[in-house]
Amino acid sequence: MNLFDKAPLVDKDAFVAPSASIIGDVQVGRASSIWYGCVLRGGVNSVSVGSRTNIQDNSLVHVAKSNLTGKVLPTIIGDNVNVGHSAVLHDCTVEDEAFIGMGATLFLCKYKETRIIFFTNNTNMFRCRIIDPLLAFMLV
């Protein structure tokens, strides 16, 4: 769906569920999947989803125009990222091979490390590096 003068660009090999909303300045990479009830909205800035990235049901990906210092705040999600159900990603950058846990909220953040897991409880966000045995377990 267009927003202002911006239209989404979704790779022909990506899957977008019928009830997902891709709105405005949004790019979705090759072989990525956007599942049921998700909203990706690039209104005042851009949303970029890399290749082979999975954004699960009811997740929200959004942007801000800029912060108080004028820094532009798009949302960038790398390649091979898994975003769990009902996660919220708002004006943040997530590098390749990250795993965002169900219900996690990432806001105004930039994580330059690859292979990171993010998960939250009611008041805290945790992150840890994915080590190879754990990665192997997750991919089974």
Side-chain angles (χ1 to χ4, degrees), residues 1-138:
M1 173 188 300
N2 290 2
L3 182 62
F4 308 121
D5 62 339
K6 304 291 184 182
L9 180 60
V10 178
D11 188 272
K12 65 179 179 63
D13 293 326
F15 168 76
V16 177
S19 63
S21 297
I22 311 292
I23 305 164
D25 191 2
V26 177
Q27 294 184 357
V28 178
R30 184 175 179 274
S32 288
S33 54
I34 313 299
W35 291 91
Y36 300 91
C38 289
V39 176
L40 284 68
R41 182 163 54 97
V44 295
N45 218 320
S46 64
V47 171
S48 175
V49 176
S51 298
R52 298 168 308 283
T53 289
N54 173 29
I55 301 179
Q56 296 176 5
D57 306 63
N58 298 316
S59 293
L60 171 67
V61 180
H62 192 34
V63 296
K65 184 173 184 179
S66 62
N67 64 13
L68 294 174
T69 65
K71 181 180 178 188
V72 176
L73 297 172
T75 294
I76 301 167
I77 303 169
D79 297 333
N80 302 309
V81 173
N82 282 299
V83 178
H85 304 279
S86 299
V88 176
L89 283 70
H90 198 287
D91 40 82
C92 61
T93 297
V94 177
E95 293 292 335
D96 299 343
E97 299 179 4
F99 181 88
I100 312 301
M102 292 185 290
T105 299
L106 278 66
F107 178 70
L108 283 173
C109 58
K110 184 168 188 170
Y111 294 102
K112 293 190 173 214
E113 302 169 88
T114 59
R115 292 185 165 184
I116 291 290
I117 297 176
F118 296 93
F119 56 99
T120 60
N121 64 17
N122 290 337
T123 58
N124 298 303
M125 181 178 78
F126 305 94
R127 69 180 178 156
C128 61
R129 286 250 330 120
I130 299 173
I131 56 175
D132 288 332
L134 179 58
L135 180 62
F137 174 75
M138 288 172 49

